[in-house]
């Protein structure tokens, strides 16, 4: 692979590397477009080394790694304002050289690494597969950049973007080379309150997963295959580079930052003292595991660096070079910015009206009240759940357990909330548990209800301020530093909380609530079944309306109207609270955008008619359960043969997973192949996982189980788990197909059910217990889109049996003579097996 030679020497304030210049981000200048600072805090420089927590990675002379020297270049701060380029034009800066991921132009020629304007969203037959960039580049590995070349390259840089400019100005004042902006809130939630949507505010990308990285000369967005298409449409190509996670030769964030640190080190010389590559991050919105990964990557990078020049100085050193030892010179430094009060630099920009612009200033952190989740749906009391947690703590030797995930808090305390996180019935808070105390750390306004306070008191739960959780954990450790141990799952805990626990005091393992929550008890599963019954009735009424409107009346219906109508149908059902996630209603090519969300006024908005298919992925939060279902509909009489073939193969994959019988201790990835087999036979695939866990009146995405080709998740399927089954196929620019049911994991032999369906059966030594799936979703699958000749008799029998079950369960909920009942009866009719399409 090739890269450009280093044409910039990293200084304070940091100048962009060649990689960043090639990414084409704007210059840091005195442009009149620079955003107005709201307060002196945005311009006052606070030494990042004072009072800050730092992780320092040094290099050793014994681990030398020879790199060619890089010619220097003047500071980017001196660049004049630059003209804008057309939106479709990538900026190419300088000739090529060799080695590593240090240059975007070299990496851009590799599969999966794209500038936003070049990403078409088309990934051949594989959603999330590697595409090819059309970035042109020099192949002269021996070429170097002169000062004149550098000035010419500057002309290709677009004007400043106010938010990025403001962030870079603050970074410069703090001596930061890079700053990380993830999707997360302090609880590492998938869906976050609006007040924590910092990455969306900064980048414009609204997907639920992704991390932004801003350097002096570049802005990068890492996201997974679910969002490649969406990110390519939402990112401003003049300022952002899309990094397609998981694709060949696309570096991880730790790897990318390590290469940046190496480039900075190689830019040092006698006249320009070496300093650490400083990465800023808010410790409350990054997991402890991510910080650990950074640490490991930086250690590896530090071992590769050649010895520093004898006169090189570390930051803050005196001019006497003889006093500097190579091993004392830091290569990388993680700065959590504790000394500046609010460690999140995006908040300062977001709270400035001029910087925020049309996005508006940052909304307040929500304080929606908790409500009691009734025991008839919870199945176990708070006291019983706390007893189970304490029993597990005894087995682990833990004296304190910390629960930071919002669904863990809601489950453990049998409470729910509406408004803190849209579509998720959880409230902001932490729970800590010791042998004799359980504490809910939250805003006092969340527990003002007499009913909630009485409920918590009955369960033996005290309430303390939200901000007290860190100090309470620290005080517990300080009480007895030799015997007190904290049980915390560092993969689901923020770095600010977990870093105060020393390795000797830490029990890092899956917490006690996770398996309890994943395996639904009898009452929880009954509530889930009830929710799916109500959901099936709502969908029957909705489909009757849609078919009548589109087919009989001949009216085109917008994706937004479809979303609103479906939500309205659900809202009429008993116990409905809100949707379980933003509805995905994608007509035609929008169906290929996996997490598409229709909006009025959007250039992407489409209208459904008889000739266009629609993919609808939707669900509801009911007081007793959670639903999630996807159906692909085509109401015309002559669907395209290619569409029918793909639809049939997706259905075969859904049936393949649903019908499988498997032994206990089978991990989800083993089952994934059954969903893809029919697609693989014709060289097709999809880029997302096949199934995720679902909460009981909780989050629609819940771990730890999944069905996915990613072998890293070895969690086994257990009785009582709920998992989605959603194979799909997508042709960008054409259509998307997905068929999703929710399934419960059950024993094959009902004799094994004990205690109203809970617990594990007794069996003879060496005998295995087998599991199967039971359908929760009660919504018909469109049968006139099926190529009968591709289906086996067993698969057709499965479909007829399923529709018989749906009719039996849902028809009693629909009034005689209603349009919904008439539609359901037609949709559940046995398949005509005499001919295909």
């Amino acid at each position: 692979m090739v890269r450009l030679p280093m044409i910039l020497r990293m200084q304070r304030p940091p100048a962009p590397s060649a990689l960043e210049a090639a990414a084409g981000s704007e210059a840091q200048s005195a442009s009149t477009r620079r955003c107005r600072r709201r307060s002196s805090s945005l311009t006052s420089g606070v030494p990042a080394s004072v009072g800050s927590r730092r992780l320092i990675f040094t290099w050793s002379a014994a681990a030398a790694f020879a790199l060619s020297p890089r010619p220097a270049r003047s500071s980017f701060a001196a660049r004049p304002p630059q003209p804008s380029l057309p939106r479709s034009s990538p900026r190419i800066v300088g000739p090529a050289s060799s080695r590593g991921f240090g240059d975007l132009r070299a990496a851009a020629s590799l599969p999966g690494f794209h500038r936003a304007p070049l990403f078409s969203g088309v990934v051949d037959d594989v959603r999330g597969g590697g595409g090819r960039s059309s970035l042109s580049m020099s192949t002269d590995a021996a070429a170097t950049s002169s000062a004149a070349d550098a000035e010419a390259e500057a002309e290709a840089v677009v004007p400043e973007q106010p938010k990025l400019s403001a962030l870079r100005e603050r970074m410069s004042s703090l001596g930061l080379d890079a700053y990380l902006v993830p999707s997360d809130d302090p609880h590492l939630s998938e869906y976050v309150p609006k007040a924590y949507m910092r990455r969306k505010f900064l980048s414009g990308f609204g997907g639920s997963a992704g991390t932004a990285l801003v350097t002096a000369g570049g802005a990068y967005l890492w996201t997974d295959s679910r969002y490649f298409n969406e990110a390519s449409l939402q990112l401003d190509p003049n300022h952002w580079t899309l990094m397609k996670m998981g694709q060949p030769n696309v570096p991880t964030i730790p790897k990318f930052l390590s290469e940046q640190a190496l480039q900075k080190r190689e830019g040092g010389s006698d006249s320009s003292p070496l300093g650490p590559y400083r990465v800023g991050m808010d410790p409350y919105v990054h997991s402890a595991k991510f910080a650990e990964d950074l640490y490991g990557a930086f250690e590896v990078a530090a071992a590769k660096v050649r010895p520093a020049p004898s006169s090189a100085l570390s930051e803050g050193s005196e001019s006497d070079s003889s006093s500097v030892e190579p091993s004392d010179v830091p290569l990388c430094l993680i700065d959590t910015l504790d000394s500046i009060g609010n460690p999140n630099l995006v908040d300062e920009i977001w709270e400035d009206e001029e910087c925020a612009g049309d996005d508006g200033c940052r909304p307040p952190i929500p304080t929606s009240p908790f409500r009691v989740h009734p025991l008839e749906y919870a199945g176990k009391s708070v006291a019983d759940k706390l007893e189970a947690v304490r029993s597990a703590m005894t087995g682990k030797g833990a004296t304190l357990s910390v629960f930071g995930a919002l669904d863990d808090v809601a489950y453990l305390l049998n409470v729910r909330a509406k408004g803190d996180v849209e579509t998720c019935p959880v409230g902001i808070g932490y729970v800590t548990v010791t042998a004799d105390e359980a504490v809910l750390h939250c805003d006092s306004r969340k527990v003002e209800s007499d009913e909630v306070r009485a409920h918590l008191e009955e369960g033996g739960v005290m309430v303390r301020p939200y901000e007290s959780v860190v100090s309470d954990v620290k005080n517990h450790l300080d009480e007895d530093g030799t015997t007190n141990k904290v049980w915390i799952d560092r993969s689901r805990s923020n770095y600010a909380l977990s870093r105060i626990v020393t390795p000797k005091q830490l029990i890092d393992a899956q917490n006690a609530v996770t398996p309890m929550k994943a395996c639904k008890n009898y009452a929880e599963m009954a509530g889930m079944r009830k929710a799916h019954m109500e959901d099936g009735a709502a969908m029957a009424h909705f489909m009757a309306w849609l078919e009548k409107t589109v087919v009989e009346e001949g009216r085109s219906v917008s994706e937004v109207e479809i979303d609103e109508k479906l939500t309205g149908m659900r809202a009429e059902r008993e116990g409905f609270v809100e949707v379980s996630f933003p509805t995905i209603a994608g007509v035609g090519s929008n169906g290929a955008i996996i997490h598409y969300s229709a909006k009025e006024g959007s250039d992407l908005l489409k209208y459904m008619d008889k000739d266009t298919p629609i993919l609808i992925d939707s669900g509801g939060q009911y007081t007793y359960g959670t639903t999630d279902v996807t159906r692909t509909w085509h109401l015309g009489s002559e669907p395209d043969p290619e569409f029918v073939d793909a639809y049939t193969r997706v259905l075969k994959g859904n049936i393949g997973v649903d019908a499988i019988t498997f032994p206990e201790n089978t991990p989800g990835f083993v089952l994934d192949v059954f969903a893809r087999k029919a697609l693989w036979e014709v060289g097709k695939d999809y880029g997302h996982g096949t199934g995720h866990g679902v909460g009981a009146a909780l989050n629609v995405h819940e771990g730890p189980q999944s069905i996915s080709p990613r072998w890293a998740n070895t969690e086994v399927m257990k009785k009582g788990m709920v998992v989605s089954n959603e194979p799909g196929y997508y042709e960008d620019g054409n259509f998307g197909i997905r068929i999703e049911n929710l399934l419960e994991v059950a024993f094959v032999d009902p004799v094994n059910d004990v205690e109203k369906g809970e617990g594990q059966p007794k069996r003879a030594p060496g005998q295995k217990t087998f599991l199967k799936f039971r359908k929760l979703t009660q919504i018909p699958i469109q049968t006139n889109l099926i190529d009968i000749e591709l289906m086996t008799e067993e698969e057709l029998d499965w479909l007829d049996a399923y529709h018989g079950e749906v009719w039996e369960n849902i028809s009693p909920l629909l009034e005689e003579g209603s349009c919904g009942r008439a539609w359901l009866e037609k949709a559940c009719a046995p398949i005509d097996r005499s001919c295909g399409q």
Side-chain angles (χ1 to χ4, degrees):
M1 65 185 71
V2 294
R3 72 168 185 180
L4 285 178
M6 185 78 166
I7 61 174
L8 297 178
R9 178 180 299 147
M10 301 301 287
Q11 300 174 340
R12 273 178 87 104
S17 68
L19 184 153
E20 297 158 351
S25 71
E26 71 280 1
Q28 179 82 10
S29 70
S31 168
T32 56
R33 295 186 59 190
R34 177 175 298 159
C35 185
R36 171 180 58 84
R37 298 278 64 76
R38 180 176 59 84
S39 67
S40 60
S41 66
L42 285 173
T43 55
S44 61
V46 179
S49 60
V50 179
S52 299
R53 281 197 177 261
R54 299 182 295 173
L55 295 177
I56 297 177
F57 313 93
T58 60
W59 56 272
S60 170
F65 190 85
L67 298 175
S68 59
R70 308 292 187 239
R73 170 179 174 171
S74 58
S75 169
F76 73 105
R79 293 183 187 174
Q82 304 300 329
S84 176
L85 288 179
R87 186 175 179 85
S88 60
S89 300
R91 292 174 304 284
I92 308 301
V93 185
S97 182
S98 61
R99 189 181 176 274
F101 289 105
D103 181 83
L104 176 64
R105 280 161 298 168
S109 65
L110 301 173
F113 192 107
H114 292 270
R115 282 289 297 154
L118 297 177
F119 179 70
S120 66
V122 179
V123 200
D124 299 328
D125 287 333
V126 184
R127 183 67 174 178
R132 292 186 301 275
S133 170
S134 60
L135 282 173
S136 61
M137 57 183 247
S138 168
T139 56
D140 181 6
T144 58
S145 293
S146 65
D149 294 332
E151 292 305 318
E153 291 156 4
E155 295 178 1
V157 180
V158 299
E160 296 178 349
Q161 199 275 343
K163 295 172 186 176
L164 289 173
S165 296
L167 178 57
R168 288 187 176 116
E169 183 175 334
R170 188 64 169 126
M171 289 166 55
S172 177
S173 72
L174 295 170
L176 298 177
D177 295 287
Y179 189 74
L180 288 159
V181 184
S183 306
D184 298 302
D185 62 9
H187 305 273
L188 307 184
S189 307
E190 178 183 14
Y191 299 104
V192 302
K194 291 181 179 178
Y196 293 110
M197 293 182 180
R198 295 164 172 132
R199 188 219 58 220
K200 180 180 179 181
F201 165 78
L202 185 67
S203 70
F205 168 60
S208 64
T211 298
L213 172 66
V214 178
T215 65
Y220 311 90
L221 189 285
W222 275 260
T223 192
D224 62 53
S225 62
R226 296 172 298 168
Y227 296 104
F228 289 166
N229 202 331
E230 183 177 344
S232 70
L233 294 169
Q234 293 180 345
L235 293 175
D236 182 345
N238 291 321
H239 300 284
W240 287 90
T241 300
L242 174 61
M243 309 290 278
K244 296 169 62 180
M245 290 171 57
Q247 298 308 296
N249 300 309
V250 176
T252 63
I253 293 174
K255 174 66 173 177
F256 183 91
L257 287 171
S258 298
E259 291 290 339
Q260 290 287 293
L262 289 170
Q263 286 193 17
K264 178 176 181 177
R265 175 51 50 84
E266 287 307 305
S269 68
D270 292 351
S271 60
S272 178
L274 293 174
Y277 188 84
R278 302 171 71 92
V279 179
M281 58 181 275
D282 179 350
Y284 287 91
V285 295
H286 289 276
S287 72
K289 181 63 168 60
F290 178 77
E292 181 181 301
D293 290 344
L294 275 183
Y295 180 92
F298 288 169
E299 278 192 328
V300 171
K304 295 180 179 179
V305 180
R306 63 178 171 82
S310 60
S311 59
L313 303 176
S314 62
E315 184 179 348
S317 299
E318 298 297 329
S319 59
D320 181 7
S321 62
S322 62
S323 64
V324 179
E325 294 294 332
S327 60
D328 294 330
V329 179
L331 174 66
C332 310
L333 179 151
I334 297 176
D335 195 336
T336 52
L337 305 172
D338 300 87
S339 65
I340 65 173
N342 179 6
N344 203 293
L345 303 186
V346 176
D347 290 352
E348 300 176 356
I349 303 167
W350 203 350
E351 290 164 3
D352 183 286
E353 293 182 4
E354 186 174 328
C355 282
D358 295 338
D359 295 310
C361 290
R362 186 189 182 207
I365 296 173
T367 58
S368 306
F370 283 116
R371 68 175 187 271
V372 176
H373 187 55
L375 184 60
E376 64 177 303
Y377 303 136
K380 290 185 179 180
S381 68
V382 176
D384 288 342
K385 291 179 179 180
L386 287 173
E387 181 181 356
V389 168
R390 288 177 174 130
S391 176
M393 289 171 61
T394 300
K396 289 283 188 180
T399 56
L400 174 71
S401 279
V402 181
F403 303 97
L406 299 184
D407 57 337
D408 286 352
V409 172
Y411 172 85
L412 181 58
L413 302 186
N414 286 346
V415 293
R416 301 292 189 268
K418 179 183 178 182
D420 276 12
V421 184
E422 290 185 2
T423 74
C424 299
V426 296
I428 297 174
Y430 296 91
V431 170
T432 54
V433 179
T434 64
D436 52 10
E437 183 178 84
V439 180
L440 168 61
H441 303 263
C442 71
D443 190 292
S444 61
R445 288 169 288 185
K446 301 184 70 62
V447 291
E448 290 178 340
S449 162
D450 291 339
E451 181 186 12
V452 171
R453 284 193 170 276
H455 167 75
L456 294 175
E457 289 174 5
E458 181 182 356
V461 180
M462 297 183 293
V463 178
R464 290 181 187 155
Y466 178 79
E467 297 79 10
S468 67
V469 63
V470 173
S471 59
D472 280 10
V473 173
K474 190 175 186 304
N475 290 339
H476 179 81
L477 293 171
D478 291 343
E479 287 174 5
D480 191 335
T482 58
T483 60
N484 282 358
K485 293 185 180 296
V486 174
W487 184 359
I488 187 168
D489 185 346
R490 295 175 74 246
S491 67
R492 304 180 69 211
S493 172
N494 67 54
Y495 181 48
L497 187 58
S498 63
R499 68 182 175 180
I500 63 177
V501 185
T502 65
K504 291 184 178 180
Q505 298 170 304
L506 173 68
I507 299 174
D508 180 15
Q510 183 184 90
N511 68 44
V513 163
T514 297
M516 293 166 56
K517 175 163 53 68
C519 298
K520 278 60 179 174
N521 60 47
Y522 179 80
E524 288 173 318
M525 196 63 79
M528 291 291 281
R529 296 188 189 108
K530 177 177 173 59
H532 283 83
M533 296 286 199
E534 296 294 334
D535 222 49
M539 187 64 78
H541 286 306
F542 165 76
M543 284 305 302
W545 167 83
L546 184 63
E547 191 171 274
K548 180 176 183 294
T549 302
V550 172
V551 178
E552 296 180 19
E553 298 177 4
R555 180 168 72 88
S556 297
V557 186
S558 78
E559 296 163 329
V560 171
E561 184 179 358
I562 288 170
D563 179 355
E564 293 172 347
K565 193 70 175 181
L566 178 53
T567 300
M569 296 292 189
R570 281 195 170 100
E572 295 177 3
R573 308 310 300 180
E574 176 193 357
F576 179 80
V577 180
E578 61 182 327
V579 296
S580 56
F581 57 95
T583 297
I584 301 167
V587 172
S589 60
N590 286 345
I593 305 174
I594 296 178
H595 280 198
Y596 173 71
S597 180
K599 294 179 175 61
E600 287 288 2
S602 168
D603 292 339
L604 294 176
L605 184 66
K606 291 183 180 296
Y607 288 75
M608 181 186 181
D609 57 28
K610 291 189 295 184
D611 299 320
T612 53
I614 185 170
L615 183 154
I616 304 177
D617 190 348
S618 65
Q621 291 287 4
Y622 298 83
T623 55
Y624 36 79
T626 303
T627 69
D628 178 8
V629 58
T630 307
R631 291 291 183 266
T632 305
W633 308 98
H634 192 301
L635 304 183
S637 58
E638 296 184 3
D640 184 84
E642 181 186 3
F643 181 88
V644 170
D645 182 86
Y647 182 94
T648 306
R649 293 180 186 279
V650 169
L651 175 58
K652 288 170 69 70
N654 183 286
I655 296 172
V657 171
D658 183 284
I660 191 68
T661 296
F662 53 95
E664 59 185 342
N665 298 321
T666 298
F669 70 79
V670 172
L671 307 178
D672 184 77
V673 65
F674 293 95
R676 301 175 192 268
K677 178 178 180 293
L679 288 168
W680 285 357
E681 288 172 351
V682 290
K684 296 180 179 179
D685 202 352
Y686 53 95
H688 57 76
T690 298
H692 57 82
V694 180
L698 266 177
N699 290 351
V700 73
H701 290 167
E702 177 184 276
Q705 74 275 19
S706 70
I707 300 176
S708 169
R710 298 170 180 85
W711 293 0
N713 187 352
T714 57
E715 187 72 30
V716 301
M717 292 291 160
K718 299 176 183 176
K719 190 263 178 188
M721 286 181 169
V722 173
V723 64
S724 70
N725 174 19
E726 48 184 311
Y729 176 69
Y730 313 90
E731 288 190 2
D732 290 342
N734 195 4
F735 61 79
I737 298 168
R738 188 160 63 250
I739 300 174
E740 174 188 19
N741 280 356
L742 294 194
L743 308 172
E744 64 171 285
V745 182
F747 294 126
V748 170
D749 188 349
V751 170
N752 290 328
D753 289 335
V754 294
E755 299 177 10
K756 292 185 177 181
E758 299 173 37
Q760 296 296 321
K762 295 180 180 179
R763 57 186 180 274
Q767 180 183 1
K768 285 187 175 181
T769 300
F770 280 79
L771 299 166
K772 66 177 182 179
F773 292 118
R774 288 178 183 160
K775 303 168 193 67
L776 286 170
T777 303
Q778 298 291 298
I779 296 170
I781 296 169
Q782 188 170 352
T783 56
N784 62 355
L785 294 179
I786 300 171
D787 182 350
I788 299 296
E789 294 180 356
L790 287 178
M791 301 283 284
T792 66
E793 285 297 316
E794 291 78 10
E795 290 168 338
L796 294 173
D797 289 343
W798 179 97
L799 197 56
D800 280 342
Y802 176 52
H803 285 155
E805 177 185 333
V806 171
W807 172 253
E808 181 180 351
N809 290 330
I810 304 303
S811 60
L813 303 179
L814 305 173
E815 293 183 3
E816 288 283 353
S818 68
C819 294
R821 185 181 176 93
W823 177 88
L824 185 71
E825 184 173 14
K826 180 177 65 173
C828 292
I831 299 170
D832 180 2
R833 307 189 186 195
S834 61
C835 62
Q837 289 290 325

